[in-house]
Amino acid sequence: MEPVRETFWGISRGEQLLLYGLAALACAWLARGVARRVSRWGVGHPAVPLREFGRRLRLLVTHALVQRRIVRQPVAGVMHHLLAAGFVVLFIGTTLVAIDYDTPWQFLRGRFYLVFEVVLDLFGLGLVAGLLLALARRQAPAYVGRRAPADRRLLVLLLTIAVTGFLVEAVRLHVRQPPWAPFSPVGFVLARALAGLPVGAEAWERLYTGIWWLHAVVVLGFLAALPGTKMFHLLASTLNIFFRTLEPMGALRPVDPEAEEVGAGTGSALTWKQRLDLDACTACGRCDAVCPALAVRTPLAPMGLVQQLKAQVLDAGDAVSPLVGRAVSAEEIWACTTCGACMEQCPVLIEHVGTIVDVRRHLIAEGVVPASAQLALNRAMSQGNPLGLPRAERAAWEARAGLGLPKAQVGAPPPLLFWVGCAGAYDHRNQRTVTALARLLQAAGVEFATLGAEERCTGDFARRLGEEGLFQMLAQENIATLARYGVRRIVTACPHCYNTLQHEYRRFGGDYEVLDHARFLADLVAAGRLRPAEPLPRDVTFHDPCYLGRYNGIVEEPRRLLRRIEGLRLREMAPCRERSFCCGAGGGHMWMEIKGREGRRINHERLAHALAVHPEVVATACPFCTTMFEDAAKVRGMEGRPAVMDVAEMLEAAGAARRAPRP
């Protein structure tokens, strides 16, 4: 049952030479297109150097091979795996055929050939199924349908390649009728279907040659045109995954605020990795589907922003024209809350937030800033906090709460520093949270100190607004203060402070062990140092703050803490955990007035998610989230219904702060 080699191609030597000539031209055109595209990545400033090769390989396996984020949607996951597997296996199979036929190295002999034929047919059938599924998805969901016409044309072209390949096989099997034909199951079934057609032997040979050349020309044409099609993402997205920034998600790239050009005002100011981000985008729309700014109909759509930048910087090759005003608008840039939902969803690991902040840096340098944001920046510059309240009053909340918290002393490093944060120090509502936390720490016998009036804003909001100079000034001032007192370990009730102190101060010499209060309290309860002894029989839903859950992966600890409270019934709202919906305060929006169409606001949208599970309490672990939920409830005329409480307040309400620590 050994196959005859001539049946692989079934064309003359002259036709074969013509084929390879065309293939050489197609490959040359492909190489030219790839080189031209790649050259546009390299014009931008350098990004982080390549390091941690093993970790990058794991990223490739997880996101390029296994496609972990794509399979979150089962239909899309099946479709992509069918397409990817079909392309890879058929490419390998075609290569082996060429080697076997045109070189002395003959692989396809005997039983191996039979397995080879079965495998190629099954994976080819999977490819057809994947393409048909992809064509069906062009109609839904809505974010896929927006660019359906171009995608449909590409999918029809690929389907033509797959179908003509099967037709070539079917006609070949019908004409030659080899004994091993059943081992090409798809071709064999099609050949049996063709058997009844009233076509002569010569006509079958001509038909075979015609379909074969149609298949070959379409394949080579697709290969030559690939750099100009969406399929170029096969290269760009793979490289983008491999070269992903390995810094924590919440650590922005520092820049020199004294540089001649700050931020990204033109395409040439983007790093090569940011340009690669643009080319890796497949316009799948998953970022749009989770974007809170788009959900309330602000001008921002993450996919649109990336595609608009790509059109100017890469497609048009325009690296010198302004980005704002041509590719994007200032309104789009300021609408971002930097919640990171787009980045968490992106299957090819595009880093939208870093690019948006770089454009903001340019706008800040040009003085194009919303008035309310500029006011907060000016206040932080003069008073060390975005509220503009006197520095001397930063510790006044302690006296009002009847607390006499110890202050850090030079020469006596505190075992733990309690970082209060601007919201906890100055905002009357959030003073209840830090008061509860302080009492819980005291009840647990935790030895700690505060900086009192010497604490300053960490600069989180300033950095995400694009004011890098102010951020670095505040960071250096805080780092110097912490160094003076020998601080190495910090706890805070603000996820924004947590993220900045933990991840961003390290670039400036501030290396600390930073603890978020939810996880720290959960550990104290688990160790028996805090005991919530009083039942709280309430229906509670927990809102995951973006900078706690999505940015830092702290999602289970707050829930573990709440479950230790007797009688509490935890109900999950959707979306939650790492895919939580933003409260609307991040990225400097706590100090800006950003509305969507018809006056829609992000915090109102998130409150609606919470109300859908009918809670008596909305629990959270962020002062910004607390404020945004309460403001939304007030606007709806339902203040206090449901109650909004920090997890520290809930633990205190359960009597934990009144319990003596376990001996």
Side-chain angles (χ1 to χ4, degrees):
M1 197 180 291
E2 183 173 334
V4 182
R5 294 182 69 217
E6 286 71 21
T7 62
F8 276 110
W9 297 107
I11 59 173
S12 68
R13 179 58 62 176
E15 289 175 315
Q16 181 185 343
L17 292 175
L18 175 59
L19 170 68
Y20 283 121
L22 292 175
L25 287 175
C27 289
W29 199 259
L30 169 67
R32 174 184 177 274
V34 170
R36 184 178 181 185
R37 199 79 186 187
V38 171
S39 69
R40 292 181 177 176
W41 302 344
V43 177
H45 299 315
V48 293
L50 176 62
R51 57 183 174 82
E52 298 188 51
F53 190 77
R55 185 177 171 190
R56 295 182 185 278
L57 285 180
R58 288 194 295 272
L59 283 173
L60 278 182
V61 171
T62 301
H63 296 286
L65 183 61
V66 179
Q67 301 181 2
R68 186 177 71 182
R69 293 186 178 178
I70 291 177
V71 299
R72 288 176 180 175
Q73 298 178 5
V75 174
V78 170
M79 178 191 77
H80 279 87
H81 279 300
L82 288 173
L83 293 176
F87 274 116
V88 170
V89 172
L90 291 176
F91 173 78
I92 293 173
T94 303
T95 303
L96 288 177
V97 168
I99 292 173
D100 187 81
Y101 184 69
D102 293 312
T103 70
W105 300 285
Q106 297 174 9
F107 300 103
L108 306 180
R109 282 292 176 265
R111 296 183 184 278
F112 176 73
Y113 175 74
L114 303 181
V115 176
F116 175 83
E117 282 286 292
V118 172
V119 169
L120 286 193
D121 263 35
L122 293 180
F123 277 90
L125 186 62
L127 176 62
V128 171
L131 290 168
L132 292 174
L133 189 56
L135 280 167
R137 275 177 54 82
R138 296 314 94 185
Q139 311 305 321
Y143 62 80
V144 171
R146 278 200 293 272
R147 82 283 183 218
D151 280 5
R152 274 197 295 268
R153 288 192 291 270
L154 178 60
L155 291 172
V156 168
L157 175 66
L158 295 174
L159 191 59
T160 300
I161 292 173
V163 170
T164 54
F166 275 125
L167 288 175
V168 167
E169 180 183 59
V171 174
R172 175 166 60 94
L173 295 179
H174 173 68
V175 172
R176 308 294 169 85
Q177 297 187 359
W180 42 265
F183 287 90
S184 295
V186 179
F188 180 70
V189 170
L190 290 175
R192 294 288 296 270
L194 295 173
L197 296 177
V199 180
E202 291 186 8
W204 278 118
E205 290 284 356
R206 289 194 298 272
L207 180 63
Y208 171 77
T209 302
I211 298 175
W212 191 95
W213 273 109
L214 173 63
H215 176 73
V217 169
V218 173
V219 168
L220 294 177
F222 167 72
L223 189 67
L226 190 146
T229 72
K230 181 180 176 179
M231 295 304 293
F232 186 65
H233 85 273
L234 294 172
L235 172 64
S237 62
T238 301
L239 291 175
N240 200 60
I241 291 169
F242 183 78
F243 287 110
R244 183 192 186 182
T245 303
L246 296 182
E247 294 292 329
M249 184 178 174
L252 291 173
R253 180 177 68 95
V255 298
D256 181 3
E258 303 299 325
E260 183 177 345
E261 182 179 13
V262 179
T266 63
S268 63
L270 296 172
T271 68
W272 68 265
K273 175 57 174 63
Q274 287 171 328
R275 290 161 172 265
L276 178 55
D277 270 352
L278 304 182
D279 236 356
C281 179
T282 64
C284 69
R286 294 191 182 208
C287 54
D288 280 4
V290 297
C291 177
L294 181 59
V296 298
R297 301 185 182 181
T298 72
L300 174 64
M303 185 185 80
L305 181 139
V306 170
Q307 290 294 313
Q308 289 154 205
L309 290 172
K310 177 181 178 180
Q312 176 174 322
V313 178
L314 298 180
D315 295 342
D318 184 354
V320 297
S321 296
L323 298 178
V324 178
R326 292 175 64 90
V328 298
S329 67
E331 290 76 18
E332 289 176 86
I333 297 300
W334 292 119
C336 177
T337 67
T338 70
C339 71
C342 51
M343 295 167 58
E344 195 275 335
Q345 279 289 310
C346 181
V348 296
L349 311 189
I350 292 171
E351 299 168 76
H352 310 69
V353 171
T355 299
I356 289 172
V357 170
D358 271 349
V359 178
R360 284 184 173 185
R361 287 166 169 166
H362 168 74
L363 293 176
I364 285 282
E366 296 294 312
V368 184
V369 191
S372 53
Q374 187 62 63
L375 179 61
L377 292 169
N378 292 341
R379 288 169 169 173
M381 176 75 73
S382 62
Q383 294 294 337
N385 66 83
L387 295 91
L389 296 173
R391 300 186 183 202
E393 294 182 9
R394 194 172 189 101
W397 67 276
E398 298 179 31
R400 286 195 291 270
L403 295 170
L405 302 184
K407 301 298 181 289
Q409 301 293 323
V410 175
L416 180 69
L417 181 83
F418 175 17
W419 188 276
V420 179
C422 298
Y426 290 113
D427 179 71
H428 290 294
R429 168 58 187 89
N430 285 296
Q431 285 172 2
R432 286 157 38 194
T433 297
V434 294
T435 298
L437 178 56
R439 288 173 177 161
L440 290 166
L441 294 177
Q442 290 175 331
V446 176
E447 189 179 346
F448 69 97
T450 71
L451 292 178
E454 292 187 78
E455 187 182 288
R456 300 286 180 268
C457 176
T458 60
D460 159 81
F461 89 98
R463 179 166 236 199
R464 277 147 186 80
L465 282 174
E467 181 46 278
E468 184 73 9
L470 175 58
F471 163 74
Q472 292 191 19
M473 182 193 78
L474 292 168
Q476 289 162 1
E477 187 175 348
N478 282 324
I479 290 169
T481 301
L482 293 169
R484 185 164 65 252
Y485 293 115
V487 173
R488 307 307 311 163
R489 197 162 180 255
I490 302 171
V491 65
T492 181
C494 176
H496 296 264
C497 295
Y498 168 83
N499 183 76
T500 305
L501 292 166
Q502 177 70 33
H503 300 309
E504 299 197 304
Y505 275 20
R506 291 183 178 180
R507 290 286 193 100
F508 304 94
D511 192 0
Y512 318 105
E513 178 190 359
V514 188
L515 309 167
D516 70 280
H517 75 306
R519 179 167 46 183
F520 190 54
L521 292 174
D523 289 343
L524 291 175
V525 172
R529 297 177 66 180
L530 286 174
R531 285 175 286 180
E534 297 181 10
L536 284 181
R538 300 182 186 178
D539 294 320
V540 177
T541 188
F542 181 74
H543 162 76
D544 294 273
C546 301
Y547 277 74
L548 195 66
R550 184 158 38 249
Y551 273 80
N552 289 288
I554 301 169
V555 296
E556 187 53 41
E557 293 86 344
R559 291 170 170 81
R560 177 158 51 92
L561 176 61
L562 292 173
R563 291 190 191 104
R564 294 298 295 267
I565 299 176
E566 184 181 349
L568 187 149
R569 297 175 296 274
L570 191 59
R571 298 182 174 186
E572 293 287 6
M573 70 174 101
C576 62
R577 297 180 179 265
E578 291 91 344
R579 301 178 204 176
S580 179
F581 195 86
C582 182
C583 76
H589 279 224
M590 189 71 181
W591 321 107
M592 287 194 288
E593 187 72 14
I594 302 292
K595 298 180 184 178
R597 294 178 190 171
E598 302 169 358
R600 295 177 64 180
R601 299 172 188 262
I602 294 172
N603 58 329
H604 296 180
E605 199 84 3
R606 187 52 171 165
L607 177 61
H609 296 165
L611 294 177
V613 298
H614 308 291
E616 296 173 80
V617 179
V618 175
T620 187
C622 173
F624 289 180
C625 297
T626 299
T627 298
M628 298 303 278
F629 270 105
E630 291 195 342
D631 285 352
K634 288 177 184 176
V635 171
R636 294 186 61 158
M638 48 190 305
E639 187 173 354
R641 297 176 291 110
V644 181
M645 299 178 69
D646 187 272
V647 291
E649 295 177 276
M650 299 208 65
L651 192 58
E652 183 187 35
R658 296 192 293 275
R659 300 290 295 183
R662 178 178 294 179

